Amino acid sequence: MSDLALDRAAAVPSVAQERVETPFRRFVAEFAESKLALLGLGVFVVIALTAIFAPWLAPQNPYDLGQLDIMDGRMEPGTVGGAGFTFWLGTDDQGRDMLSGIMYGLRISLSVGAGSALIACFIGASLGLLAAYAGGRTDSLIMRLVDLQLSFPAILAALMILAFLGKGILNVVIALVLVEWAYYARTVRGTALVERRREYIEAAHCLALPTRRILFRHLLPNCMPPLIVVATMQVARAIALEATLSFLGLGVPITEPSLGLLIANGYEYMLSGKYWISFYPGIALLITIVSINLVGDQLRDVLNPRLRK
């Protein structure tokens, strides 16, 4: 074989490799550089799957009062109950299996956190895009609302809203949306102010494209990297806020306890040695928040060009 043929044969793999290389593959490769991020992602996937399939995985339905036996109340971990199965993480004062309660509590915590973050992201991103694109009085009005919202501590604002609306999962979601949207609006506005001066926005104006199309088809996609990072962090923050509100008695109803309410149910028994009622839900909440934050930290490093090595 000639030297020219050998050179061509050697060049084929490199060309194929260049064709296979895509932005998504590059993103996955950079994300996988952090072992902690992969660990956090794996743990969160396990937690999410456990929450989704809780009705099939949990040995007991903690929301069904017919399955609860008050005689099984405050049993230690590993004790066999009257129903014949083992309470691996013990029971609370109502005879609720703590392992089942944690599985079902994760469903509420994750759904409330993800749902409120998604709604707040849509509202905040829309207002941030409008503020950056319109400018002038519109920008000033929206940003003054953002400053007003951010001037109040999130937990205090959520408590005031729930004191007015009352308990309930829907009311908790509304309260979290009202205290979270400003973070998305400020993030998107800062990015959109830079992007609106790009050539593709000027080209869209020259083509007389509708404002809605310019905002959501051209401007918003280029604001997604920082928005994804903020959304990831806000999901963890929303889960922590929901747990705090439920712990204080203003969150989800007592018939559908989340992790925060499970922690609150065992708080008064901590001094008497019944640590497991609050301890295990607290560990589950901590692991969930830490795993999300690990993923969010790596997303920030990968999606922010200034932080790339």
Side-chain angles (χ1 to χ4, degrees), residues 170-194:
L170 180 60
N171 292 339
V172 173
V173 172
I174 293 174
L176 293 179
V177 169
L178 293 177
V179 301
E180 285 183 343
W181 70 271
Y183 296 94
Y184 298 98
R186 185 175 62 177
T187 300
V188 172
R189 176 184 176 271
T191 306
L193 285 176
V194 177

Side-chain angles (χ1 to χ4, degrees), residues 6-292:
L6 291 174
D7 294 339
R8 290 179 178 177
V12 170
S14 61
V15 173
Q17 185 177 2
E18 290 179 0
R19 291 179 179 177
V20 173
E21 184 71 17
T22 61
F24 177 74
R25 289 179 179 271
R26 190 181 307 113
F27 166 79
V28 173
E30 293 180 357
F31 182 86
E33 292 178 357
S34 174
K35 303 302 180 183
L36 284 178
L38 290 178
L39 176 62
L41 180 61
V43 171
F44 178 74
V45 170
V46 172
I47 291 174
L49 291 177
T50 301
I52 293 173
F53 296 104
W56 296 274
L57 296 176
Q60 179 192 77
N61 184 355
Y63 301 156
D64 186 1
L65 298 180
Q67 297 186 25
L68 304 183
D69 188 355
I70 193 66
M71 300 302 295
D72 292 335
R74 298 190 293 277
M75 284 190 170
E76 296 184 359
T79 306
V80 179
F85 61 84
T86 303
F87 298 114
W88 295 108
L89 300 183
T91 62
D92 63 3
D93 57 340
Q94 301 296 321
R96 182 184 290 110
D97 177 38
M98 295 307 303
L99 178 60
S100 302
I102 291 173
M103 290 182 178
Y104 276 81
L106 284 171
R107 303 186 80 190
I108 294 180
S109 297
L110 292 179
S111 59
V112 169
S116 62
L118 182 62
I119 298 173
C121 180
F122 176 78
I123 296 174
S126 301
L127 292 176
L129 286 174
L130 180 61
Y133 185 81
R137 295 182 177 179
T138 302
D139 183 20
S140 299
L141 176 61
I142 294 176
M143 295 315 297
R144 295 297 77 76
L145 290 176
V146 169
D147 294 338
L148 179 63
Q149 172 62 50
L150 296 179
S151 64
F152 286 93
I155 183 62
L156 177 60
L159 285 173
M160 294 172 60
I161 295 171
L162 286 177
F164 176 76
L165 296 178
K167 295 182 180 180
I169 295 178
L170 180 60
N171 292 339
V172 173
V173 172
I174 293 174
L176 293 179
V177 169
L178 293 177
V179 301
E180 285 183 343
W181 70 271
Y183 296 94
Y184 298 98
R186 185 175 62 177
T187 300
V188 172
R189 176 184 176 271
T191 306
L193 285 176
V194 177
E195 293 295 329
R196 63 175 293 191
R197 299 183 178 90
R198 304 290 186 183
E199 290 78 5
Y200 67 91
I201 298 296
E202 296 180 2
H205 285 298
C206 294
L207 294 174
L209 296 180
T211 301
R212 184 174 60 182
R213 183 174 180 181
I214 295 176
L215 290 178
F216 293 100
R217 293 287 299 275
H218 299 279
L219 195 56
L220 180 59
N222 291 281
C223 299
M224 288 304 294
L227 188 60
I228 292 174
V229 176
V230 173
T232 305
M233 297 297 186
Q234 289 302 310
V235 169
R237 187 169 181 266
I239 293 175
L241 280 175
E242 182 276 327
T244 304
L245 294 172
S246 297
F247 180 84
L248 295 175
L250 291 176
V252 299
I254 193 173
T255 56
E256 297 182 358
S258 66
L259 294 180
L261 192 56
L262 290 175
I263 297 173
N265 289 340
Y267 182 74
E268 60 180 308
Y269 301 106
M270 292 290 290
L271 296 179
S272 61
K274 307 297 190 298
Y275 67 91
W276 59 86
I277 304 178
S278 293
F279 178 76
Y280 290 119
I283 291 298
L285 178 64
L286 177 63
I287 292 175
T288 302
I289 295 175
V290 170
S291 64
I292 297 175

Side-chain angles (χ1 to χ4, degrees), residues 30 190-191 194-195 198 225-226 299-309:
E30 293 180 357
T191 306
V194 177
E195 293 295 329
R198 304 290 186 183
L299 286 176
R300 179 196 59 193
D301 296 341
V302 172
L303 296 176
N304 190 346
R306 296 180 179 179
L307 297 178
R308 291 180 184 174
K309 295 180 180 180

